[in-house]
Amino acid sequence: MRIIVCIKQVPDTEELGKVKINPATNTLKREGVSSIINPFDENAVEEALRLRERKGGKVTALSMGPPQAEEALRKTLAMGVDRAILLSDKAFAGADTLATSYVLAVAIKKIGEFDLILSGKQAIDGDTAQVGPGIAEWLSIPQLTYIRKLEVNDNKVRAERVLEDSFEVVETSLPCLVTVTKDINEPRYPSLRGLLKAKKEEIPIWSCHDLSVERKRVGADGSPTQVIKIFTPQPPGKGEILSGEISEVADRLIREIKKRKIV
Amino acid sequence: MAKIEILIDKCTGCKKCIPSCPFSLITVEDKKAKIMEGCTFCGACLEACPLEAILLEREEKKIDLSSFRGVWVFAEQRDGEIMPVTYELLGAGRGLADELGESLSVILLGSNLKEKVKELLQYDLEKIYQVQSPFLKSYKTSLYTQAMTDLVKRECPEIILIGATSLGRDFAPRLATRLKTGLTADCTGLEIDGESRNLIQTRPALGGNIMASIISPYHRPQISTVRPKVMRRAKPVSGKDIEIIEIEPRLDEKDDLVSILNIIKEEGEVADLQEAEIIVSGGRGLGKAENFSLIEKLAELLGGAVGASRAVVDAGWIPSYHQVGQTGKTVQPKLYIACGISGAIQHQVGMRTSDIIVAINKDAEAPIFDIATFGIVEDVHKFLPLFIEKLESEKQASTPSPLPSPLRG
Ligand SMILES: Cc1cc2nc3c(=O)[nH]c(=O)nc-3n(C[C@H](O)[C@H](O)[C@H](O)COP(=O)(O)OP(=O)(O)OC[C@H]3O[C@@H](n4cnc5c(N)ncnc54)[C@H](O)[C@@H]3O)c2cc1C
Ligand SMILES: Nc1ncnc2c1ncn2[C@@H]1O[C@H](COP(=O)(O)O)[C@@H](O)[C@H]1O
């Protein structure tokens, strides 16, 4: 199987709380926030590796981002992917999900024939969940989103989709794009061999010139949406500590809940 | 390619532009402003500059936006029922349509829509598009995208609102990509900019740590997925004159790419955490799996759903679809009771917008108390049984005794 996994580098989730807005200037303060692979994308990598173990083939990790996104790709090499490609160019900066999925789709076409594309269900920085379906649309292939179980047999893909109150068992044929939830597997730790390989492996960087992209479709120019403002959400605010004798506290809580007519 | 430039002779290094950049990309070096890499050409700094020292050249996108009119709401159905989020979108859509002086339409896709149309006729809207075909019986990405794209191209709406549900977030990106237009995910605020008629879409990002306002100034339609339970539901009205437009979509069997083999319902009363008005959640502080029965008991008493932290899901105490947080579900109930949960940031981002948060934790320093409306510093094993007992006796006291039956004299 020829599998492509799309991964994104995001701010470290442990430190997301540190990404604060400077109230004086209303700008983002990102000092001291390190980067990781989007957690769901690690599940996507893991699933790709498991499929390769069962079916043979080749796994390619693909990411669009600034030069430092190479770090995240190195981790996928350490986990065991066969090769990693970084799409990086100043012209890609400021891309929204339409422009991002476009560049990724063009790169996938350049890579050549593929059977399966895997991505995370969403990236934890933007939480949009739009890039996966976007890639599928640019490539005119079916998409299966929010997948927690995946089976591939011959040309058929059978999968379980997570819905609000149920699961859907769906089937389609290859090639297709699948976005995964964290339920699908437990990502492995890199092996020592993997780490060594990742260290010396060359990661090609493809820029605008390496891809047959229409310039008006990439980066900020290719992005219909624009962020015009950011601000800190109204903090819920520290409330009240109900103190006193435990039985009184319980009574008080019942009164508070009743007062608001919730129950 | 858009270009942005600081006009060196005009710039005095006054720094007024620095705070205006949503991405912190402006610095001042040697009394001249400098724009770093990553600019999205949003133009916020232009307005901030008192000296017109910033030059922005955007490729003028000459599309006539004025031919796009009206606000559309996509009516989501599940198991043949119109989902509650549809009425919330109708509530929000009405406000936007009035502001724009345009009509509000609802788009209904399906195979047997007569009853659904009747239901929607009770609401304050101008048009119902009834798109009927056996191919649209249940939601399929490719067929729904095809039917909707054709309709959008024919009718040219200005705004389309879709619920940010698992269906909506599968459908909307496919649709927006085919139309090559802007889509904003999971919006919690929508308003119209009076001058430009742009839809200002506000949404949480970075796990709820910041809010971002987003526009699509050169593209129509503007599409948003809207978070359920945030907008005020439309109320039924009477005497509205509503136009019903029947559409026969051109769909092809070969576009039916995915088959749905089976639908498995989750067990449990209120499985849908995201729809629940009350959630009782348990964390590692409960000590062991068996103690989760306290959480279940309390949830049942309050008529709520059961949530959990990732620590207890990982420990296998409860299945993962109960998990609340960054890698679990985002919930927004009226009441969230966190029992023995420390309140790590990844948990908080999934529940911090709940109306009332009650936290029970024996550690007064636990971060959950930073966001709790009511904090209770107690041992869950002491507090919960007592609280449950009190609720039970209240319930008994308030249940009216049965009327004397004639049979019993
Ligand atoms: C990438 C990533 C994603 C994550 N996503 C999520 C997510 O989606 N959801 C999530 O919940 N977590 C998530 N986490 C994990 C998160 O960081 C925390 O580890 C987790 O939420 C902790 O769960 P907890 O509060 O149940 O356990 P703990 O942190 O161990 O807290 C237990 C609490 O119970 C209290 N306690 C102990 N005994 C008692 C008692 N007898 N009575 C009262 N209180 C008691 C303790 O004081 C403590 O505060 C994620 C982590 C990462 C790295
Ligand atoms: N810049 C990127 N490079 C590679 N993959 C990406 C990128 N952005 C998003 N993705 C993929 O798309 C998924 C959804 O991202 P998003 O739409 O941003 O929530 C992620 O989990 C990744 O698999």
Side-chain angles (χ1 to χ4, degrees), chain A residues 13 28 125-127 137 141 143 145 164 167 169 171-172 183 221 226 228-229 231 239-240 242 258 260, chain B residues 1-2 24 166 169-170 174 178 203 206 211 213 215 257 259 261-262 264 320 346 356 373 375 394:
Chain A
T13 112
L28 276 187
D125 53 352
D127 284 330
E137 173 61 24
I141 57 172
Q143 74 194 39
T145 52
E164 276 80 1
F167 305 107
V169 184
E171 195 174 76
T172 192
D183 286 346
D221 278 344
Q226 294 178 0
I228 49 166
K229 194 171 91 184
F231 53 100
E240 184 189 350
L242 304 184
K258 282 195 153 170
R260 290 170 174 78
Chain B
M1 179 80 195
S24 325
S166 54
R169 296 182 77 176
D170 184 83
R174 194 87 197 204
R178 192 163 302 177
R203 63 178 306 255
L206 285 170
M211 302 294 290
S213 295
I215 56 169
L257 301 169
S259 19
L261 303 180
N262 195 4
I264 309 161
S320 69
Q346 296 91 351
I356 297 176
T373 326
E394 284 250 342

Side-chain angles (χ1 to χ4, degrees), chain B residues 130-363:
Chain B
Q130 179 187 343
V131 187
Q132 204 154 260
S133 155
F135 284 117
L136 300 174
K137 185 162 183 285
S138 46
Y139 171 72
K140 299 269 186 81
T141 315
S142 52
L143 295 165
Y144 269 55
T145 306
Q146 190 56 51
M148 192 74 163
T149 304
D150 290 343
L151 192 60
V152 170
K153 288 200 167 149
R154 203 182 94 172
E155 301 285 318
C156 299
E158 198 165 353
I159 293 173
I160 306 177
L161 306 180
I162 299 173
T165 58
S166 54
L167 186 161
R169 296 182 77 176
D170 184 83
F171 176 43
R174 194 87 197 204
L175 177 70
T177 309
R178 192 163 302 177
L179 293 167
K180 313 236 173 340
T181 194
L183 168 63
T184 305
D186 206 19
C187 300
T188 54
L190 297 170
E191 56 186 304
I192 301 289
D193 175 39
E195 213 173 295
S196 63
R197 291 171 74 93
N198 284 329
L199 177 64
I200 304 176
Q201 306 157 97
T202 299
R203 63 178 306 255
L206 285 170
N209 285 296
I210 63 162
M211 302 294 290
S213 295
I214 293 169
I215 56 169
S216 294
Y218 306 113
H219 290 75
R220 296 291 181 269
Q222 307 158 88
I223 311 183
S224 323
T225 61
V226 181
R227 184 178 286 191
K229 299 249 158 203
V230 176
M231 303 294 165
R232 194 169 302 145
R233 268 183 85 121
K235 294 214 169 61
V237 293
S238 55
K240 235 352 229 201
D241 191 10
I242 299 175
E243 185 185 355
I244 301 173
I245 302 152
E246 288 180 38
I247 307 276
E248 263 181 57
R250 284 180 302 118
L251 294 169
D252 199 328
E253 204 157 0
K254 75 171 181 8
D255 287 327
D256 191 2
L257 301 169
V258 176
S259 19
I260 301 169
L261 303 180
N262 195 4
I263 293 177
I264 309 161
K265 285 268 165 214
E266 272 177 33
E267 63 270 34
E269 291 280 293
V270 192
D272 192 345
L273 271 186
Q274 270 145 330
E275 289 287 329
E277 307 235 299
I278 297 175
I279 296 175
V280 185
S281 267
R284 189 146 48 193
L286 285 165
K288 54 177 191 237
E290 294 78 73
N291 294 341
F292 232 86
S293 60
L294 280 174
I295 303 292
E296 278 152 16
K297 185 91 181 277
L298 181 56
E300 195 192 315
L301 255 178
L302 296 170
V306 172
S309 72
R310 170 157 152 186
V312 303
V313 168
D314 286 351
W317 297 0
I318 188 161
S320 69
Y321 49 79
H322 291 281
Q323 184 182 319
V324 172
Q326 189 177 56
T327 44
K329 290 177 175 158
T330 305
V331 299
Q332 198 168 29
K334 291 194 174 136
L335 174 63
Y336 189 93
I337 307 184
C339 310
I341 292 179
S342 60
I345 181 71
Q346 296 91 351
H347 189 79
Q348 284 193 18
V349 298
M351 44 65 75
R352 64 198 282 170
T353 53
S354 306
D355 290 354
I356 297 176
I357 298 168
V358 175
I360 304 145
N361 192 310
K362 65 179 184 190
D363 175 10

Side-chain angles (χ1 to χ4, degrees), chain A:
Chain A
M1 273 185 89
R2 294 152 301 185
I3 306 172
I4 294 168
V5 193
C6 296
I7 67 140
K8 185 178 189 187
Q9 192 182 43
V10 295
D12 188 347
T13 112
E14 300 284 348
E15 298 173 17
L16 271 186
K18 283 197 211 154
V19 185
K20 286 270 158 61
I21 295 176
N22 182 339
T25 58
N26 201 28
T27 54
L28 276 187
K29 290 193 291 188
R30 306 185 215 213
E31 292 100 69
V33 177
S34 53
S35 297
I36 55 166
I37 301 186
N38 182 38
F40 301 107
D41 301 356
E42 286 194 24
N43 296 99
V45 171
E46 176 64 33
E47 200 59 21
L49 296 174
R50 290 186 189 188
L51 281 167
R52 186 189 63 190
E53 280 155 17
R54 290 202 292 273
K55 315 260 163 208
K58 190 167 174 180
V59 178
T60 306
L62 186 62
S63 188
M64 182 186 102
Q68 60 268 30
E70 191 198 290
E71 230 179 284
L73 283 170
R74 268 199 207 282
K75 170 136 193 235
T76 68
L77 283 167
M79 284 173 78
V81 307
D82 299 284
R83 64 166 169 172
I85 301 168
L86 177 64
L87 313 175
S88 196
D89 193 309
K90 277 185 193 169
F92 298 157
D96 72 359
T97 57
L98 185 69
T100 302
S101 58
Y102 171 70
V103 172
L104 289 166
V106 172
I108 289 168
K109 281 190 197 150
K110 177 175 160 117
I111 291 171
E113 298 276 303
F114 62 87
D115 299 301
L116 180 66
I117 302 169
L118 287 166
S119 83
K121 72 160 183 169
Q122 65 193 51
I124 59 165
D125 53 352
D127 284 330
T128 77
Q130 289 172 185
V131 169
I135 297 170
E137 173 61 24
W138 285 108
L139 296 171
S140 304
I141 57 172
Q143 74 194 39
L144 305 176
T145 52
Y146 303 107
I147 297 303
R148 66 159 193 181
K149 195 163 170 227
L150 186 64
E151 275 168 44
V152 181
N153 276 313
D154 301 323
N155 195 28
K156 285 258 170 283
V157 180
R158 187 177 283 206
E160 276 181 34
R161 284 191 73 209
V162 182
L163 304 179
E164 276 80 1
D165 58 353
S166 56
F167 305 107
E168 213 174 54
V169 184
V170 289
E171 195 174 76
T172 192
S173 41
L174 296 175
C176 71
L177 179 137
V178 171
T179 81
V180 305
T181 64
K182 76 172 188 80
D183 286 346
I184 196 162
N185 56 39
E186 192 60 50
R188 70 192 61 189
Y189 289 104
S191 66
L192 197 59
R193 230 185 75 209
L195 285 167
L196 289 173
K197 177 177 179 255
K199 224 174 183 170
K200 53 179 202 284
E201 187 87 8
E202 182 85 25
I203 296 181
I205 299 177
W206 291 353
S207 70
C208 247
H209 306 289
D210 302 302
L211 295 169
S212 48
V213 288
E214 279 180 72
R215 290 300 280 252
K216 69 173 204 306
R217 296 227 170 274
V218 307
D221 278 344
S223 300
T225 61
Q226 294 178 0
V227 176
I228 49 166
K229 194 171 91 184
I230 50 163
F231 53 100
T232 318
Q234 285 266 309
K238 222 178 169 106
E240 184 189 350
I241 297 286
L242 304 184
S243 51
E245 208 265 311
I246 186 165
S247 169
E248 279 164 23
V249 169
D251 287 336
R252 169 84 197 283
L253 184 58
I254 292 174
R255 278 204 306 280
E256 293 291 349
I257 292 174
K258 282 195 153 170
K259 203 159 81 189
R260 290 170 174 78
K261 299 203 184 351
I262 301 168
V263 190

Side-chain angles (χ1 to χ4, degrees), chain B residues 94-133:
Chain B
R94 180 76 268 165
L96 300 176
D98 290 348
E99 179 90 28
L100 290 164
E102 298 288 343
S103 63
L104 176 65
S105 309
V106 66
I107 317 299
L108 198 49
L109 273 61
S111 63
N112 186 359
L113 297 170
K114 223 165 103 198
E115 290 303 311
K116 306 283 155 327
V117 169
K118 241 196 238 159
E119 247 172 275
L120 290 165
L121 278 171
Q122 302 170 46
Y123 288 84
D124 185 5
L125 45 98
E126 281 74 39
K127 291 182 211 167
I128 299 177
Y129 287 89
Q130 179 187 343
V131 187
Q132 204 154 260
S133 155

